[in-house]
Amino acid sequence: MSISRNDIDHVARLARLALNDEEKDLFTAQMEAILSYAETLNELNTDGVIPTSHAVPLSNAFRPDTATPSLGIDLALSNAPDRSGSYFQVPPVIE
Amino acid sequence: MNYQPVIGLEVHVQLTTKSKIFCGCSTRFGAEPNLHTCPVCLALPGALPVLNRQVAEYAIMAGLATNCSIAHHSIFARKNYFYPDLPKGYQISQFEQPICEKGWLDIDGDWGSKRIGITRIHMEEDAGKLVHGMNGGSGVDLNRAGTPLLEVVSEPDLRSADEAVAYLKKLYQIVTYLGVCDGNMEEGSFRCDANVSVMPMGSSVLGTRAEVKNVNSFKFVKQAIDFEISRQIELIEDGGKVVQETRLFDPNKGVTRSMRGKEEAHDYRYFPDPDLVPLVINSEWVERIEKELPELPEQKRQRFITHYALPEYDADVLTASRLLAAYFEETAAFAHNPKAAANWVMGEVTRALNDSGRDIDHCPVAPKALGELIRLIDNGTISGTIAKKVFDHIWNNGGEPAAIVQQQGLAQVSDTSAIDAVIDQVLAAAPDQVAEYRSGKEKVFGFFVGQVMKAMKGKGNPALVNDLLKRKLS
C-alpha cells in the first residue's frame, strides 16, 4: 500500500480540511505507516470467512413504531450559533 | 444515425410510519420547522439510532410485492457527504447487503409486455429541508431528517420515457396498494431520479449517463427524460460528449440543467454503521408477512374478471387505485349487479369526481346509495335517465335514493293505459311526422319517443314506451 500526496489532497478535500504543505508531508508519511501496519492482516488466510460488519454479537434491535415527544423547537435550537424564527440559520448554500 | 435511449430509475418511496426510522419523532408533514426533532435526528453527540421495526416490515412487504429475494442478513451503512440538510455529515442508508434484491415488475412496454428488473430495494433516512435566501443565508428545517424511505433501484431496462412512466405507475400502484406509502407526490412521498443515456441503435456499449434528480410527477418524468434524450443526441451529433453529471429538471421551462459545483466526483466512502446492529431476517418472519400481504393490483384485476365477470378494460380501470376498487366492490355488493356498478363508477362517478376535482375517498355519494340507486333501475322503479338526476341530487344534497324518488315523484310510469293516453296525444299533435314514419322514414321514431318522454317528464318506462309506440304506429 502506497499513499501519495494526491491521496492526501483528495481525503483532505472530502473532509473539508485545509492542510499546508508541511502537514501534507507529515500525514502522507503517517497514513502510509498506519496502512502498512494494517496490511499485516492480509497475511492471514481469510478464505471462507464472512466479512465482519459488527464486532458485537447482537442483531435485530428494534423500537416499535410509536411517536414519542420531541425536544421542542427552543431546546432543539439552543446549541445553534444562529437561528431565524424556528430555523437553524446557516451561511448561504451554493446550489 | 438512430439512437437507443437507456433509462434506469431510482425511486424514493416515503413510508407511512408514525415515527421516524431511527427515533420516535413524528413524521407528520407540514409542522412548524424543527418541531419534530430530538438528539438522534439532530445528530447530537452520544445519541444512538434504533431501527423502527415497521420500516423493516414495510421494506419486506415491498420486496415481496416486487418479486425480490429478501436478504437473510442485512446491514446499514454510512454514506458520507457534507451538506447542511444532513446534520450527521452522513446519511444512514444501505450499501452492501440491502434488504431486498433481484426483483422485477412486468409493464406494458413500447412493444408489448416487458419485464423490468429491480436491482435492489434498500432502507434509508431522508435529509432535512433547506430554505434558501433566508437572512442572506439559508434556513435548515430538520423535521424531515430521519423520515423513513425505501429506495427502489431498477435495472437500465427501460427504453423510452413512456416505458419509464409505465414502470413508475406500476410501482406507485403497488406501494399505495400495500399501504406502505401514501402516494402524495406533491409532498414528495414518491419521487424519482432518472439515469438517462443514449447509444447508437444496435450497439451494446452503454453511453455516458446523466442523472436527473428529484422529479415528483409522472408528467415531469416524461418531460425530463424526453428532454434529456434529445439533449444528449444533439450533443453527440454536434460532435460533443455527454458528461456524467447530476442535472435538475425545471418544470416551468421543461428543461434539465447541470448542477455544477455539488458534484466533485461522488466519493461517499460507505462503511457499515457501527451504531446499528445487523438485521437477521428468518423465513418465519418473511412467511408471516407474505401471508398478511393485501391483495395486489394484478390479483385484484384477475379476481374482478373472474368473480364479477367484468371485461378486462373495466377491471383495469377499477383496480387503478385501491380506493376506487373498494368503492366499486361495496357498490356492487349493494347493487347485486356488478356490471351496472362498474358502469356507474367508471361513468357518472368518475365524471362527477373529475368535474369537482375530488378523490374517490371524498365522494359525496356513498357506495350504499349508489348501489340502491342501481337496484331502483333494475327493479323498474326508475329509468336510467331519472337515476342520473337522483345521483346528481344526492351528490349535491345527500339523501336516500328511494326517499328522493318518492318525495319528488320520480318513479317511472309503467301503467300501460297512462302511457297509451300520452302516446295518443303526441301522435294526434304530430300528424305530419306520423305520415312520414308510415311512409318508411323510421328515423322519426326517436322524435316520438322524445315527445312522449317529455310529456311524461322523463318518467315513462322506456321499454314500455318503445313497445307501445311501435304497436300504435304499425
Side-chain angles (χ1 to χ4, degrees), chain B residues 194-208:
Chain B
N195 287 302
V196 183
S197 68
V198 298
M199 61 185 180
M201 202 61 93
S203 166
S204 58
V205 184
L206 294 181
T208 307

Side-chain angles (χ1 to χ4, degrees), chain B residues 168-176 183-185 190 218:
Chain B
L168 270 183
K169 286 192 168 163
K170 192 102 192 191
L171 184 61
Y172 179 89
Q173 198 187 23
I174 289 173
V175 294
T176 51
N184 192 327
M185 295 178 83
F190 187 91
F218 297 124

Side-chain angles (χ1 to χ4, degrees), chain B residues 137-156:
Chain B
S138 301
V140 184
D141 171 10
L142 296 177
N143 280 345
R144 204 182 58 187
T147 298
L149 302 176
L150 294 183
E151 180 171 325
V152 183
V153 183
S154 86
E155 290 288 305

Side-chain angles (χ1 to χ4, degrees), chain A residues 10 13 54 60 63 84 95, chain B residues 19 83 135 264 267 276 280:
Chain A
H10 179 61
R13 193 164 52 241
H54 294 74
N60 294 5
R63 37 169 288 273
S84 283
E95 276 288 279
Chain B
S19 62
Y83 210 62
N135 288 335
E264 183 143 17
D267 187 348
L276 287 153
V280 175

Side-chain angles (χ1 to χ4, degrees), chain B residues 139-249:
Chain B
V140 184
D141 171 10
L142 296 177
N143 280 345
R144 204 182 58 187
T147 298
L149 302 176
L150 294 183
E151 180 171 325
V152 183
V153 183
S154 86
E155 290 288 305
D157 288 344
L158 303 156
R159 292 291 173 269
S160 69
D162 287 332
E163 288 195 349
V165 171
Y167 164 83
L168 270 183
K169 286 192 168 163
K170 192 102 192 191
L171 184 61
Y172 179 89
Q173 198 187 23
I174 289 173
V175 294
T176 51
Y177 259 71
L178 291 174
V180 304
C181 176
D182 68 14
N184 192 327
M185 295 178 83
E186 279 123 57
E187 291 176 7
S189 296
F190 187 91
R191 53 193 200 258
C192 136
D193 302 340
N195 287 302
V196 183
S197 68
V198 298
M199 61 185 180
M201 202 61 93
S203 166
S204 58
V205 184
L206 294 181
T208 307
R209 64 191 164 87
E211 183 181 15
V212 187
K213 279 270 184 202
N214 263 333
V215 197
N216 70 345
S217 87
F218 297 124
K219 195 177 107 195
F220 292 160
V221 167
K222 178 162 166 54
Q223 285 178 6
I225 292 175
D226 278 336
F227 177 86
E228 201 42 39
I229 292 169
S230 331
R231 183 189 72 87
Q232 293 185 12
I233 292 174
E234 273 175 44
L235 196 62
I236 295 168
E237 299 262 278
D238 292 347
K241 263 190 174 164
V242 176
V243 286
Q244 188 166 341
E245 62 177 354
T246 305
R247 299 178 68 85
L248 266 190
F249 178 65

Side-chain angles (χ1 to χ4, degrees), chain B residues 282-300:
Chain B
N282 59 27
S283 46
E284 288 87 64
W285 191 7
V286 176
E287 279 158 22
R288 200 258 301 149
I289 292 175
E290 191 156 28
K291 265 195 217 114
E292 291 172 6
L293 277 185
E295 189 179 35
L296 290 166
E298 186 53 38
Q299 297 163 332
K300 201 181 282 279

